[in-house]
Amino acid sequence: MMDLMKYAKPLALATSMALLAGCGSSGGTQDQTSEPMQEEVAPVQTSDEGAEASAVDQDSNASANDMTGEKQTPNVMMPDENRIYFDFDKSTIRQDAYQTLNAHARYLLANKDANVVLEGHTDERGSREYNMALGERRADAVKRYLTLQGVETSQMEVVSYGEERPAVMGHSLDAYAKNRRVVIRY
């Protein structure tokens, strides 16, 4: 009995500490799931109006197909905007780029023979090697997004120019912001 009493206090202390440690834990998974994903994927179809317009286009194409007996691809115009901008030292696609990327995805899906070169660019800050790699990561992010929208990888080529081809000359924050981009060339 005396031997048991000798271990009772340390055992009670260890049990209390283990219980307190268990109560103070957040479980680990709550913190992990509360962080937002770095790259969000927006669907190509962005509004109900687009769905209605698409249905009208399909109806008009269906009547044209009935008359000619040929299958016609819906008339999708090449997007005017061909630049996607990035934040400093980031290759994550910004929210304001999804509309432009969705328009390019629709065009590429409707025109399977069209090909694009995704040119990655950076501002002048950083080493040449680092900027070449960052430009490639940016272009790869755009390619990955377009691929998720259904565009064939064979329609896309990635090239990085790093800091070598600035859109705007200068050393201001505004100039830097315009140089951090991916240009989509058909």
Side-chain angles (χ1 to χ4, degrees), residues 130-159:
Y130 181 82
N131 285 336
M132 291 296 285
L134 180 57
E136 186 171 352
R137 285 195 308 271
R138 288 174 175 169
D140 281 337
V142 171
K143 180 179 181 180
R144 192 169 40 255
Y145 180 81
L146 293 173
T147 300
L148 288 172
Q149 301 310 310
V151 176
E152 296 293 325
T153 56
S154 62
Q155 290 181 269
M156 298 177 281
E157 179 184 347
V158 169
V159 175

Side-chain angles (χ1 to χ4, degrees), residues 91-164:
S91 59
T92 304
I93 296 172
R94 296 184 338 191
Q95 228 24 47
D96 61 353
Y98 288 121
Q99 185 175 358
T100 299
L101 288 174
N102 290 339
H104 283 282
R106 280 190 296 272
Y107 181 79
L108 289 165
L109 287 168
N111 297 282
K112 296 291 187 182
D113 58 334
N115 293 311
V116 293
V117 177
L118 305 171
E119 300 175 349
H121 299 271
T122 66
D123 61 37
E124 64 186 22
R125 297 174 289 180
S127 70
R128 184 178 186 284
E129 293 80 15
Y130 181 82
N131 285 336
M132 291 296 285
L134 180 57
E136 186 171 352
R137 285 195 308 271
R138 288 174 175 169
D140 281 337
V142 171
K143 180 179 181 180
R144 192 169 40 255
Y145 180 81
L146 293 173
T147 300
L148 288 172
Q149 301 310 310
V151 176
E152 296 293 325
T153 56
S154 62
Q155 290 181 269
M156 298 177 281
E157 179 184 347
V158 169
V159 175
S160 176
Y161 291 109
E163 64 190 74
E164 302 299 318

